[in-house]
Amino acid sequence: MAETPCKRLYEEQGQAPWLDNISRGLISSGELQKMIDHDGIVGVTSNPTIFEKAIGTGTDYDAQMREIYGQGKDAQAVFLELMIRDIQDAADIFRPVYDRTDRLDGYISIEVTPDLALNTEGTLAQARIFHQRLGRPNILVKIPATKEGIPAIEQAIYEGISINVTLIFAIDRYQAVMEAYLRGLERRHAEGKALDIASVASFFVSRVDSNVDKKLDALIAKAGSDAEKKHLESLKGKAAVANAKIAYEVFGQVFSGPRWATLQAAGARVQRPLWASTSTKNPSYRDVMYVEHLIGPHTVDTMPPATIIAFNDHGEVKRTIDTDMAAEHKVIADLAAAGIHMDAVTKELEDEGVASFAKSFETLNGVIAGKRAALAAGQPQNEQTDLGSFNSQVEQTLHELADAAGHIWQHDAAWWSADSVVQGKIGDRLGWLGVVERMIGEADDLRNFAESICKGGFKNVLLMGMGGSSLAPDLFSMEFETADGFPELYVLDSTDPAMVAVCREGLEPADTLYIVSSKSGTTTEPTAFMNYFYERVKAVKGDKAGENFLAITDPGSPLITEAQQRGFRRVFQNPPDIGGRYSALSYFGLVPAALMGVDVRKLLDRAHQMTERCGAGVAAAENPGVWLGAVLGTLGKAGRDKVTFITTPGTASFADWAEQLIAESTGKQGCGLVPVAGEETGPPDIYGDDRVFVYMPKESDDHEALDEMVEKLMDADQPVITLPMADEYDLGGEFFRWQVATAVAGKVLGINPFDEPNVTESKDNTKRLLADYAKTHRLPDPTPVAAAGNLELFAYNLPDLAGGPDSSGKNGSDSSDLDPAEVLETLFESVEVHDYFAILAYLETSDDNMDQLEAIRTLALDELQVATTLGFGPRFLHSTGQLHKGGANNGVFLVFTSDEAGDVKIPNMDFSFGTLIRAQALGDIEALVAKGRRVVRIHLVNAEDGLREAGDLIDEVLVGAGVES
């Protein structure tokens, strides 16, 4: 096996790659040892934030916590006991590295508690306790580089305690740290004591850019000329590297000359600079930027798992730490000339760092106290399941998936496909694995931006997107209360003219912020929405219309240029290696959530807890994502392919979000899981043997009646998975759990869960129809096979229909005299035992239409006794549309279209919204027919009256005629 870039860092460049993460699961699973052997990791750091995530999730610490609580210790004492055991175990794992490198590496760091950051004597007392209690030579005690910490560092070195100095931002503070190290060594040397003391100085990196870039953005907004803007833009993303490289320059000066030579001759080693916070926070920057720009001898780089994976995947190994130093000094000088002084920046960062770690420690104590209460009450694991006869099959799958989490977290595209081309495409879709960590670093910026929107007087936010860019925001708008003072969030993902009109009439252009959300920047619907509403705002604000717009898109998309030309308030560039349906925890979901006042950090914390539980070191049976994926995949292969969500009011929208994830990821190559969201829950006897139920009750919802119904389903031997949620913020964890589960289910089913090969079929048909329309000003107008009142019926792939279309799916021009009831009866009678019945409505998503369509759906469930789905077009084209065309031919489709009472023109386009939605409907039907799907389209000449007539007719056919399936 070729050496990894991390190993090459160590062997070729003299830089030690350390891991910035620790947990009991990582230790006990063997994953930490694997990272030493495979990834080339030679050390590890820890802090209270890391332990808060590890202790607060899973059950790894439960047994020890029960034992400690029996001794009557408080939360802080409990934490210290838990931490000490993990540090000792990790130190033992790294001991061979320590010995092999002659004490240079193989260290693990343990941090004094943050409440002592400004307490010299308290810091020293705790450092002594750690040194004595841990009893391992390869331990570094972390002491912050505050003014109060400096004398504690010197004294600890003098006493023979190896130290990791943390929270260094400023060059002058770094010089004080090195001076403290030297003085401690000199005092030992004067007394004839050994100088075999280890120390590193943790110099923080990415946080510098986060701070400076915000200041630059403020200056850019006020810049008086394009040249000034360009100059300020050129400084973004430069301060952190410049600051660190200058620190290394100072390091070289201090550890040279006669003073150092005397200590070195007596056995002392340099205090190596350690680059901390090297994960890239800004998604528009290269994800391994800080690692690549700070490579050099006598340094340490401590990286979180995602950065290690990224660097081993595509990092470039070459010495960069001392190259082009004149340019680095110029960056600092240019910043100062612009009014950004590094001494002020680093002071802010130190204060924020001390406060942040203190807050983490406070949160940690709360987590431990909460865990104590849960353990005392005998709280079981959150997830519950009753799989009946499928238990043994699932256990076999879990055995086969023993290394699943490792493959996923290593971005091993070959795990899903042996095709090198497909592997490359999968590799470009795995960014969701690390997005939680990246977005946590952006939480404060999102909050600050949201507050600036509040101060700007905006009362409403309208997100304009489709599929993956709109479903998560729609969920947030449904499940979270808008915080006081924040604007209301609305989502437009329908091209129906009536829906566009609702947003036009209900939202004042001057006080509405419009979000154009499109991964590619070329999606037809968001582009049409943008053109329409931009003209509306321009009529009110003129050339300043762009102040009411922001964009969320991928780097390099045409939307960025468009936004710049129109003067958008801001453009959020999302990590490009995340597919739309996996983007809920990226900017696509989080920007809209923040704008309505959702606590994004809290949401991401819940997601982070789930990432830990789904980590590479967690056994398949204990890994929530792998386990759920194994269940869904195993039962899907066994014919239980209808994943039916049973939800309470507080979780209903999650099912709509999961619908796209499951359908678009698994519905291909003639197979797939059919997500069933929003279906009315009925008695066990109406369900066949093709279901698996997912019950998601929210704690604060009234779900006693549903509990009883679910019990009856389990009594009837229906497999049921129960995933309760404490509150709406648990959605963060569920997003991640289901993404992992879907990736695993794809593996079990033998398909690539990251592509959507059939989605373009309907889109291509629509584009062709619109291109023809631009020439002829007409869309196809086929002859209905039946008509009555406000209804026109069109039938496809129903060869049993007397006088109707042949097996090619083409309508006969002489068959318009058929009875509409006969057409529907033929459709319903074509439904077989394991089919699903799908209602596709290209109609206004009004409450009245929803109620009437749900009534039709429930009737179909009761009478046909097959799974039913309901989707409004064109939104489902970007989600379940993949399953409809790419999955098994077991879907029976009832499509509704209508004449539009009032159409809406689209500026800068050759068609109206009414024409667009009609072309989308016809294009979709064309794609379904080409795949041999059974389809009936009911066109409503008058939408309001026609839908009622259609409901009455369907009731007559299903109930009155007693259709058999």
Side-chain angles (χ1 to χ4, degrees), residues 123-327:
T123 294
L124 267 173
Q126 195 170 81
R128 291 166 182 144
I129 291 172
F130 285 162
H131 182 64
Q132 294 168 1
R133 284 283 310 274
L134 287 162
R136 305 291 193 277
N138 52 331
I139 301 291
L140 296 174
V141 178
K142 292 175 77 172
I143 296 177
T146 58
K147 288 182 180 180
E148 295 80 3
I150 297 297
I153 294 164
E154 177 184 338
Q155 183 63 24
I157 293 295
Y158 166 70
E159 293 181 13
I161 303 173
S162 294
I163 299 297
N164 175 347
V165 185
T166 187
L167 282 182
I168 308 173
F169 297 97
I171 301 296
D172 59 351
R173 185 58 56 83
Y174 179 40
Q175 289 175 313
V177 166
M178 291 186 285
E179 180 63 23
Y181 176 62
L182 293 176
R183 284 200 304 265
L185 291 179
E186 287 170 337
R187 289 169 61 192
R188 289 183 65 83
H189 185 50
E191 297 179 10
K193 295 179 179 178
L195 302 187
D196 55 347
I197 312 300
S199 184
V200 295
S202 296
F203 205 90
F204 281 58
V205 182
S206 64
R207 297 187 193 186
V208 174
D209 273 344
S210 297
N211 183 292
V212 171
D213 283 359
K214 291 175 187 176
K215 290 179 168 60
L216 285 169
D217 284 336
L219 292 174
I220 290 167
K222 299 175 182 177
S225 67
D226 289 342
E228 184 182 1
K229 285 184 179 180
K230 186 175 181 181
H231 172 65
L232 293 171
E233 284 282 359
S234 71
L235 294 174
K236 292 183 68 174
K238 301 288 181 61
V241 168
N243 196 45
K245 290 177 74 170
I246 292 170
Y248 184 80
E249 187 176 55
V250 174
F251 158 79
Q253 295 165 359
V254 170
F255 288 97
S256 61
R259 183 185 183 189
W260 172 245
T262 299
L263 294 171
Q264 188 176 36
R269 287 180 170 173
V270 298
Q271 183 189 54
R272 288 182 294 174
L274 180 151
W275 311 128
S277 185
T278 55
S279 60
T280 307
K281 304 299 189 295
N282 188 329
S284 64
Y285 298 159
R286 182 168 166 81
D287 58 356
V288 292
M289 177 179 81
Y290 296 117
V291 182
E292 290 180 329
H293 282 74
L294 298 174
I295 298 174
H298 306 297
T299 61
V300 177
D301 194 325
T302 178
M303 298 174 269
T307 303
I308 291 171
I309 291 170
F311 188 75
N312 275 336
D313 178 65
H314 52 265
E316 186 175 357
V317 179
K318 66 178 181 179
R319 180 165 175 160
T320 53
I321 191 62
D322 46 12
T323 58
D324 203 8
M325 290 305 299

Side-chain angles (χ1 to χ4, degrees), residues 71 84 86 103 136 148 150 166 184 238 282 358 360 370 374 417 525 557 584 649 652 722 792 818 929:
Q71 301 168 8
I84 284 171
D86 277 4
R103 300 177 290 108
R136 305 291 193 277
E148 295 80 3
I150 297 297
T166 187
K238 301 288 181 61
N282 188 329
S360 294
S417 174
E525 298 91 341
S557 93
T722 301
E792 295 177 347
L818 288 176
V929 172

